[in-house]
Amino acid sequence: MQQSARALPPLDFDGLRPPSPFVTEQHALWCARVRDFVTREIEPNLSAWEASGTFPDSLYESAARAGLLGMGFPEAVGGNTENADPYYRVIFSEEMHRPGAGVVFADLATHWIGLPPVVQFGGQELLDTVARPVLAGKRRIAFAVTEPSGGSDAGALRTTAERRDDHWLVNGSKTLISGALRADYILTAVRTGAAGAGGISLLLIDAASAGIERRIVPGLRWYNSSIGSIEFRDVRVPGNRLIGPENKGFAGLAKQFNIERLSGIAATLAMSRTALAEAIAWAQKREAFGKKLVEHQALRHKLVDAVRSIRAAYAYLDQCIWRLQRGENVVADIAMLKVQATRTLERVGREAMHVLGQHAYDGSNRVERIYREARIFAIGGGTEEILDDLAARQLGIF
Ligand SMILES: Cc1cc2nc3c(=O)[nH]c(=O)nc-3n(C[C@H](O)[C@H](O)[C@H](O)COP(=O)(O)OP(=O)(O)OC[C@H]3O[C@@H](n4cnc5c(N)ncnc54)[C@H](O)[C@@H]3O)c2cc1C
């Protein structure tokens, strides 16, 4: 029997997330908290931030006051381990991307990848002077791996750190670093040993050190002028700023990349939902050739195809998180799902733009912006070829 349309959830942002057996009431409360913050502090300002090209530093402290920055970090450094399961991170990323605020997220959450190694390996002094202020929103940290000579082959990076008595001497350059211009600290991947992945270490560098020059990356037309390049010229870094074992930094990088990929998956699926919800609402009211767009079979098939892709990706995401929580190795699946999720966004974004027609460009919705951002997610956090190769190795294909 055909179900009444009224019994179905609306195909809005929430209705497009298929129900999950793993999402609890606690997760729903967290979702409400993040959504409240985004609705109050971010959404009303997005147009103004886009026009000015940036957003205020005070947003970090507001986010900390709302209990968002410390998510998953130990209480001893001002964090909150109650919300340590991966769904909290996924929900945070989804809610930040619901209005298409990917750029704000990229800066605001960069401590997710920059801070954990400092918390794990830094001594008490770094916990007090770096981790605590970052989680309180008073200081900022960036994570710098990519270099002008390449980002995919992280094991080939060229920035060097030479040991000199009680300090390191750093020379080289990084580029496309999220939050580089706002950062007080830069967790930097440097070459301390022989060529290859086995010669890489992590150094925590004060961004104000002599010999550091930071510049905006001009080609990136996001409304955040904080993504930048960093030059290091004979920068002296105290010996105790080595984070983790010397020449074993590559393993630390890999761990952080997984966190980045999980956030990217959540981001792209959330943006897919926003774009599709707009397209469905428009297709249900817009008329062409005397009938609603949804009454044209070719267009409603596009919408169904988009719903199918989103549901399939979420089923895979739920399964990955379930396995992650059981302690399984899901590196290959997270890599494959990141590719699938970004492809979903590219496809859904394209079709949503298509259905909206001129409406996509009249400034009344965020689909055009989401469509522009889609490609970035297919590059940052590992490109398709790199992730497919990673999956092939993990799966034992070669
Ligand atoms: C918005 C944004 C924010 C970013 N933020 C950060 C950040 O905070 N910190 C940071 O360190 N980096 C950051 N990055 C950089 C990002 O990690 C790199 O862009 C990414 O790793 C790819 O490196 P690349 O751009 O140098 O491409 P390249 O490595 O030059 O690759 C170019 C192309 O060649 C392909 N390719 C490379 N090797 C192979 C191969 N073996 N087989 C097949 N194809 C291959 C790649 O898939 C890609 O399509 C950011 C990037 C963006 C766009």
Side-chain angles (χ1 to χ4, degrees), residues 98-398:
R98 182 178 52 83
V103 190
V104 181
F105 174 87
D107 268 20
L108 205 64
T110 195
H111 70 291
W112 284 4
I113 47 175
L115 202 55
V118 179
V119 171
Q120 187 182 353
F121 297 111
Q124 192 59 45
E125 188 221 325
L126 293 187
L127 296 186
D128 293 337
T129 57
V130 177
R132 267 188 177 282
V134 166
L135 294 182
K138 295 180 191 306
R139 292 279 184 276
R140 286 164 286 280
I141 187 165
F143 183 58
V145 181
T146 304
E147 302 190 344
S149 56
S152 302
D153 189 4
L157 62 83
R158 298 175 183 178
T159 297
T160 55
E162 290 169 35
R163 211 186 254 288
R164 299 281 167 89
D165 304 325
D166 62 345
H167 65 272
W168 300 91
L169 199 64
V170 178
N171 280 287
S173 47
K174 300 287 177 182
T175 192
L176 275 170
I177 306 306
S178 301
L181 277 94
R182 296 176 196 270
D184 299 288
Y185 307 103
I186 308 162
L187 184 67
T188 312
V190 290
R191 181 156 307 286
T192 45
I200 291 171
S201 303
L202 296 175
L203 282 187
L204 183 67
I205 303 180
D206 283 348
S209 308
I212 290 187
E213 198 179 326
R214 291 178 280 177
R215 288 205 188 91
I216 292 171
V217 174
L220 217 61
R221 296 277 175 245
W222 279 14
Y223 51 80
N224 172 5
S225 48
S226 184
I227 288 206
S229 59
I230 309 170
E231 286 288 327
F232 300 92
R233 283 194 207 94
D234 289 334
V235 178
R236 288 168 65 104
V237 179
N240 67 355
R241 292 301 184 92
L242 177 70
I243 303 296
E246 190 174 339
N247 294 330
K248 298 219 162 60
F250 196 79
L253 294 184
K255 209 167 156 192
Q256 299 318 103
F257 288 152
N258 264 335
I259 296 178
E260 192 181 1
R261 281 166 205 155
L262 194 59
S263 328
I265 291 163
T268 45
L269 295 183
M271 294 202 295
S272 302
R273 284 154 61 195
T274 295
L276 181 57
E278 296 250 17
I280 291 173
W282 181 249
Q284 286 173 337
K285 69 177 182 202
R286 175 76 162 186
E287 288 191 4
F289 294 92
K291 52 185 181 180
K292 300 262 168 51
L293 295 183
V294 283
E295 290 169 325
H296 293 279
Q297 191 182 47
L299 277 203
R300 66 175 177 262
H301 284 188
K302 284 184 188 298
L303 300 174
V304 169
D305 193 44
V307 174
R308 179 176 23 240
S309 311
I310 291 172
R311 289 193 176 175
Y314 265 111
Y316 196 3
L317 175 61
D318 280 340
Q319 201 221 36
C320 278
I321 296 181
W322 176 70
R323 291 180 50 212
L324 191 62
Q325 285 174 314
R326 285 159 50 98
E328 290 184 33
N329 176 354
V330 288
V331 170
D333 291 278
I334 291 196
M336 290 189 287
L337 179 52
K338 155 94 170 20
V339 173
Q340 179 159 342
T342 49
R343 281 183 186 163
T344 298
L345 176 60
E346 288 195 291
R347 182 72 190 268
V348 173
R350 180 201 185 276
E351 299 299 29
M353 289 288 286
H354 197 75
V355 169
L356 289 167
Q358 58 169 287
H359 186 52
Y361 294 96
D362 67 10
S364 64
N365 63 74
R366 300 200 64 80
V367 178
E368 184 270 339
R369 167 165 204 94
I370 286 173
Y371 182 63
R372 264 189 289 140
E373 281 200 11
R375 196 89 280 277
I376 286 168
F377 287 91
I379 298 170
T383 63
E384 293 185 1
E385 292 83 2
I386 298 310
L387 295 182
D388 280 352
D389 264 357
L390 173 63
R393 282 194 302 277
Q394 292 274 325
L395 294 170
I397 289 174
F398 94 119

Side-chain angles (χ1 to χ4, degrees), residues 31-89:
C31 179
R33 187 198 288 200
V34 183
R35 186 170 294 189
D36 175 64
F37 177 77
V38 172
T39 307
R40 272 187 299 106
E41 304 270 352
I42 297 180
E43 251 180 309
N45 301 314
L46 283 175
S47 301
W49 292 347
E50 179 134 30
S52 67
T54 188
F55 67 85
D57 286 352
S58 59
L59 192 69
Y60 289 82
E61 281 190 77
S62 311
R65 275 197 301 276
L68 305 185
L69 289 193
M71 180 196 63
F73 285 92
E75 266 135 55
V77 289
N80 181 358
T81 43
E82 265 173 35
N83 45 26
D85 91 50
Y87 274 113
Y88 287 87
R89 195 179 295 285

